[in-house]
């Protein structure tokens, strides 16, 4: 079997199994272009090394390329297309320098206060939409995409439970919410019910001022504006600024700290988190 055919067969198998394989597919097809449509036995360890290492300083993507090639060669060996893997060297060790930003309670209050200034004809996001989304992300630990994909039928305010469907790794889950957050969501739903189409229970829970679903890029751009107004930033020497996704890490840390101060057994509570 030739390399390019083997790559396409492997990609097709992964997609058939339901894997989100877009990045790995691009890596493997790039590997195929670099090696040419050679026979599988002609792939050398040096060719794999040159492709995997790239140029310049080591990056996290070097690791990702190594992982993609390792899975591909395991597939070939399992089907007896290859006797052994040409990927001999261990994966590159890349130092992890990124740390999520944990917002303080004061910073969270400043973010929420800054939403009242989010009034511009250039954005379709209402201030209350931004405020409610921030409260939801902090109060539940949801990913931003999960929150934006919520439909009205997924928000059970009577039982105070959110239904999150087919999220990362194709998993679904139920997320309980507190009484104050449920009241906030109920108030938002009531104020925006006129924007919902006839099949309102299937429509997205969060909407722009024109009734359209909120896009992830819109909420991320809005959050950057809020962060600047609130004066929240990392030191100048840091590479990354605080992100919307850091609300998820903040939710977890604040919950653990609260349990610790309550004297709770964290080993018992961790499965709940």
């Amino acid at each position: 079997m030739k390399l390019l055919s083997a790559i396409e067969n492997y990609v097709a198998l992964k997609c058939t199994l339901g894997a989100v394989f877009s990045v790995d597919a691009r890596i493997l097809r790039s590997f195929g272009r670099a090696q040419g449509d050679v026979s599988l036995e002609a792939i050398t360890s040096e060719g794999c090394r040159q492709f995997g290492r790239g140029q310049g300083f080591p990056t996290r993507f070097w690791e990702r390329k190594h992982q993609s090639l390792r899975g591909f060669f395991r597939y070939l060996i399992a089907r007896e297309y290859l006797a052994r893997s040409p990927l001999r060297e261990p994966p590159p060790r890349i130092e992890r320098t990124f740390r999520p930003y944990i917002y303080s309670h004061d910073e969270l209050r400043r973010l929420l206060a800054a939403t009242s200034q989010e009034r511009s004809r250039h954005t379709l996001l209402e201030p209350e939409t931004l405020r409610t989304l921030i409260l939801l992300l902090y109060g539940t630990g949801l990913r931003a995409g999960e929150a934006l994909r919520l439909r009205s039928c997924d928000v059970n305010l009577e039982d105070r439970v959110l239904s999150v469907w087919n999220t990362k790794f194709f998993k679904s889950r139920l997320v309980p919410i507190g009484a104050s957050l449920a009241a906030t969501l109920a108030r938002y739903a009531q104020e925006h019910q006129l924007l919902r189409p006839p099949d309102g229970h299937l429509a997205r829970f969060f909407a722009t001022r024109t009734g359209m679903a909120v896009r992830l890029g819109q909420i991320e751009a809005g959050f950057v504006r809020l962060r600047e107004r609130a004066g929240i930033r990392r030191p100048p020497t840091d590479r990354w600024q605080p992100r919307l996704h850091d609300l998820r890490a903040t939710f977890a840390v604040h919950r653990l700290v609260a349990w610790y101060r309550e004297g709770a057994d964290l080993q018992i509570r961790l499965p709940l988190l």
Side-chain angles (χ1 to χ4, degrees):
M1 178 179 287
K2 294 294 188 72
L3 176 58
L4 297 185
S5 297
I7 289 173
E8 294 306 319
N9 289 346
Y10 178 60
V11 171
L13 173 64
K14 286 292 188 178
C15 293
T16 300
L17 294 174
V20 179
F21 210 62
S22 56
V23 175
D24 298 273
R26 288 198 298 271
I27 290 173
L28 292 173
R29 286 165 179 154
S30 177
F31 177 70
R33 291 191 296 270
Q35 301 298 309
D37 197 16
V38 299
S39 64
L40 297 178
E41 294 76 10
I43 302 173
T44 64
S45 296
E46 179 61 20
C48 294
R49 189 193 70 81
Q50 291 180 356
F51 174 79
R53 291 294 171 146
Q55 303 294 326
F57 293 102
T59 66
R60 292 288 303 278
F61 198 58
W62 289 20
E63 287 183 320
R64 185 62 185 270
K65 288 194 288 187
H66 191 279
Q67 292 169 2
S68 299
L69 290 177
R70 181 172 54 191
F72 175 57
F73 289 129
R74 284 178 175 174
Y75 157 82
L76 295 176
I77 292 170
R79 282 155 180 76
E80 299 184 350
Y81 294 134
L82 275 180
R84 61 184 179 86
S85 171
L87 195 65
R88 290 298 187 183
E89 58 184 306
R93 295 182 178 274
I94 311 300
E95 181 182 359
R96 267 57 168 178
T97 59
F98 176 78
R99 295 291 183 274
Y101 189 87
I102 306 302
Y103 297 96
S104 68
H105 289 96
D106 178 66
E107 288 173 330
L108 291 170
R109 283 190 287 267
R110 282 152 50 192
L111 280 172
L112 294 172
T115 59
S116 62
Q117 305 173 42
E118 188 66 14
R119 297 187 181 278
S120 170
R121 61 184 179 86
H122 300 295
T123 177
L124 297 176
L125 284 180
E126 295 282 0
E128 192 60 27
T129 299
L130 268 174
R131 177 183 172 82
T132 306
L133 273 166
I134 290 173
L135 288 171
L136 177 64
L137 297 180
Y138 173 66
T140 61
L142 289 182
R143 301 175 180 91
E146 293 172 343
L148 296 180
R149 287 192 296 273
L150 286 173
R151 302 166 299 175
S152 295
C153 59
D154 298 328
V155 182
N156 185 340
L157 297 176
E158 182 177 352
D159 295 329
R160 303 207 305 260
V161 173
L162 306 179
S163 300
V164 181
W165 302 102
N166 297 321
T167 184
K168 193 172 183 179
F169 304 121
F170 308 100
K171 293 182 178 180
S172 301
R173 67 186 189 278
L174 299 176
V175 180
I177 59 176
S180 60
L181 180 55
T184 299
L185 295 176
R187 184 168 56 252
Y188 177 84
Q190 185 174 10
E191 292 174 353
H192 291 76
Q193 62 183 349
L194 296 179
L195 296 177
R196 306 205 183 283
D199 58 341
H201 67 290
L202 295 176
R204 295 289 175 90
F205 185 81
F206 292 102
T208 66
R209 64 175 56 143
T210 60
M212 302 298 292
V214 179
R215 301 192 309 273
L216 181 59
Q218 288 176 308
I219 187 65
E220 287 180 336
F223 184 80
V224 170
R225 294 191 295 270
L226 296 182
R227 189 191 67 207
E228 292 299 320
R229 291 194 197 105
I232 301 171
R233 58 181 61 88
R234 288 181 184 267
T237 54
D238 286 10
R239 179 178 176 183
W240 297 277
Q241 289 302 318
R243 310 165 302 160
L244 178 69
H245 191 65
D246 290 328
L247 289 170
R248 180 170 164 85
T250 301
F251 154 80
V253 170
H254 285 192
R255 186 68 266 164
L256 287 172
V257 170
W259 281 338
Y260 177 80
R261 289 174 175 168
E262 293 169 5
D265 188 330
L266 296 185
Q267 296 303 315
I268 294 177
R269 293 289 182 88
L270 277 177
L272 299 177
L273 182 61

